[in-house]
Amino acid sequence: MAINYNDEKIGKFYQAILHYGEEQRKKIEEEVAAFKQKELDEAEIGVLTEAYHLIQKEMAQMRSGIARELAQREMDGRRALLEQRRKIMEQVFSRAAEELRAYTQKPEYAALLQTYARNLSSAFQKEGTVILLRKEDAPYQQQIAEAFGQPCRFETDPTIRIGGLRAYNSAMGIMADETLDAMLEDQRGWFEENSGLTLAG
């Protein structure tokens, strides 16, 4: 009977040890699983953080690249518009010069040269005045001299391409320009302001 009791006691003790061992094993497995999960979570957060920073960096580079490209396109567009504006302006002034040259072939051009000579005479009161004109306007020298009303001499000036007169007097230290070339050139500023071809800032 005592043997059975001991056997039962040993069996219960053995059962208790097995039960305790099973609980310890489960506890260790749970701790290991929790540890692994924590490590995985931390690793996932690290990977996600790194991916986030990488995405942010890529986006910043993309934004910077897009901004650079847009700035370059805007600059190229402005350059093209400025070039187009310059071409239009040159065409307009080239046509105006042609119209003025055609005017110099008309009879009333002689009267215009006389008007310019009278304008110049008010500024050039001393002897030694030289009146410059185009080679094509040499036939008008007599009429110009009469309108000027004072002694003067004439020279041709190849820089006068359209028409009109220039004058200088070295003794007086003055020069005046009554050429159609200068008058046309003076219109460039007005044209730029009023043509509607200016670029918005």
Side-chain angles (χ1 to χ4, degrees):
M1 190 92 180
I3 293 169
N4 285 342
Y5 176 74
N6 279 339
D7 284 346
E8 193 179 322
K9 205 172 176 182
I10 288 169
K12 282 184 180 178
F13 180 72
Y14 181 70
Q15 281 295 106
I17 288 172
L18 283 175
H19 183 68
Y20 177 76
E22 187 65 26
E23 281 182 1
Q24 289 301 310
R25 185 181 65 79
K26 282 183 183 174
K27 190 176 176 184
I28 288 168
E29 282 176 356
E30 285 172 6
E31 285 176 1
V32 166
F35 178 76
K36 280 184 181 176
Q37 189 60 48
K38 184 183 170 197
E39 289 291 310
L40 281 171
D41 289 347
E42 285 177 2
E44 189 178 352
I45 288 168
V47 168
L48 288 174
T49 302
E50 194 176 324
Y52 172 78
H53 289 309
L54 186 63
I55 289 166
Q56 291 298 315
K57 185 179 173 185
E58 289 293 324
M59 283 174 63
Q61 286 175 346
M62 271 174 39
R63 278 195 294 266
S64 176
I66 289 167
R68 270 197 308 274
E69 190 178 337
L70 286 174
Q72 185 62 46
R73 282 186 189 177
E74 184 181 354
M75 210 161 55
D76 291 346
R78 280 182 161 284
R79 200 174 290 122
L81 282 171
L82 283 168
E83 181 58 23
Q84 187 62 25
R85 185 182 86 167
R86 188 193 64 75
K87 282 181 183 173
I88 290 169
M89 194 160 99
E90 289 310 315
Q91 286 172 357
V92 167
F93 276 79
S94 178
R95 276 196 295 246
E98 286 306 315
E99 289 290 320
L100 288 170
R101 279 191 199 93
Y103 174 78
T104 65
Q105 304 304 310
K106 296 180 179 178
E108 53 263 38
Y109 177 59
L112 182 68
L113 289 175
Q114 288 172 314
T115 301
Y116 290 162
R118 279 191 287 276
N119 293 345
L120 292 169
S121 70
S122 62
F124 294 87
Q125 299 291 322
K126 290 186 180 177
E127 284 188 27
T129 299
V130 177
I131 295 178
L132 306 168
L133 41 67
R134 290 186 313 164
K135 184 174 63 174
E136 296 88 344
D137 294 338
Y140 301 115
Q141 286 182 9
Q142 183 62 39
Q143 292 166 278
I144 293 167
E146 287 171 9
F148 188 68
Q150 299 176 50
C152 63
R153 66 185 174 86
F154 290 91
E155 289 179 8
T156 57
D157 184 344
T159 66
I160 302 173
R161 292 191 172 90
I162 302 172
L165 306 172
R166 279 195 193 108
Y168 71 89
N169 187 311
S170 299
M172 294 176 70
I174 60 171
M175 182 174 182
D177 196 325
E178 290 276 340
T179 62
L180 296 171
D181 304 65
M183 290 173 196
L184 179 61
E185 203 56 34
D186 286 346
Q187 295 303 307
R188 284 184 182 268
W190 178 89
F191 181 82
E192 284 181 7
E193 286 177 25
N194 297 282
S195 65
L197 294 174
T198 53
L199 297 178

